[in-house]
Amino acid sequence: MKNKLKAYLCLFLFAFVTHVYAAQIDTTHYQLSPGDKIQIKVYGEDNLSFDEILIPDSGQINYPYLGAITLKGRTLSQVKNEITQGLKGDYLLNPQVMVNLLNFKQNYVGGEVRRPGGYEYQPNLSVEKAVALAGGFTDRADTDDITIKDADNKLKTDDASVNMEIQPGDIIVVGQSFF
């Protein structure tokens, strides 16, 4: 009885913490993509729960009993529903599934910044904030020559302002000034 009470308490606390975190970052409509990290929990089923899954380039994972599940382009709710429906009946009577986003994919900042490289996306991240994460502009940076490409390396804009908001996986390149 004590263990059951502890399990329910842990589940409640986990759901509460997840709810508070989700309230801070609205991921309702966010579509998963390679490079994101998620967590899948099935209550009472440790062999079906995963603390951290890095979504691979293929956008698919192999899930126990269900086989290949496509994550790329799907919301957390869609993934949760697919796992719940897949496990329901044949494997579990009433599976309690939670799917959480742990980390967004990285943004890459290059060109005339002090520390070019990959940096974890944060909600409401602007070009200016991303450059700050990369150590700021170099002395030779041209703040009027900023290019943004998406995660698939397709040009979004070659005339970005420092106030422009970026998305997970965006690639920012700061050009070099002539003077």
Side-chain angles (χ1 to χ4, degrees):
M1 180 70 173
K2 257 187 181 180
N3 287 340
K4 207 173 204 180
L5 182 61
K6 284 181 184 178
Y8 283 121
L9 181 62
C10 286
L11 181 63
F12 172 77
L13 289 175
F14 183 78
F16 177 75
V17 169
T18 302
H19 176 72
V20 169
Y21 178 74
Q24 293 174 348
I25 301 172
D26 184 15
T27 57
T28 307
H29 302 291
Y30 178 72
Q31 293 184 341
L32 296 169
S33 60
D36 289 334
K37 286 183 186 173
I38 64 168
Q39 175 188 61
I40 300 174
K41 292 287 186 184
V42 180
Y43 175 70
E45 300 293 330
D46 291 340
N47 60 331
L48 298 175
S49 297
F50 300 92
D51 290 330
E52 185 176 297
I53 298 171
L54 177 64
I55 300 175
D57 290 337
S58 68
Q60 292 186 328
I61 60 166
N62 283 319
Y63 193 81
Y65 304 116
L66 303 182
I69 294 180
T70 299
L71 302 176
K72 182 179 180 179
R74 302 183 70 203
T75 65
L76 297 170
S77 180
Q78 290 171 327
V79 173
K80 174 189 171 204
N81 290 340
E82 180 177 348
I83 293 171
T84 300
Q85 292 307 312
L87 293 175
K88 195 174 212 170
D90 290 343
Y91 303 105
L92 299 172
L93 292 177
N94 188 21
Q96 300 298 310
V97 179
M98 290 188 294
V99 180
N100 299 305
L101 180 64
L102 298 177
N103 297 102
F104 293 98
K105 69 166 60 179
Q106 289 191 328
N107 292 100
Y108 294 92
V109 185
E112 292 299 316
V113 293
R114 297 194 190 283
R115 290 188 312 272
Y119 297 91
E120 186 179 330
Y121 174 80
Q122 301 164 11
N124 304 316
L125 189 63
S126 66
V127 169
E128 182 177 41
K129 292 175 185 175
V131 168
L133 290 171
F137 294 111
T138 66
D139 293 336
R140 296 170 47 165
D142 183 351
T143 58
D144 293 324
D145 182 15
I146 300 174
T147 301
I148 300 177
K149 295 179 181 180
D150 67 15
D152 295 323
N153 213 22
K154 293 179 187 159
L155 183 66
K156 289 176 81 172
T157 181
D158 59 358
D159 188 26
S161 74
V162 293
N163 298 322
M164 182 178 274
E165 193 169 309
I166 61 173
Q167 299 302 311
D170 280 354
I171 302 164
I172 303 164
V173 179
V174 179
Q176 182 180 25
S177 68
F178 292 109
F179 301 101

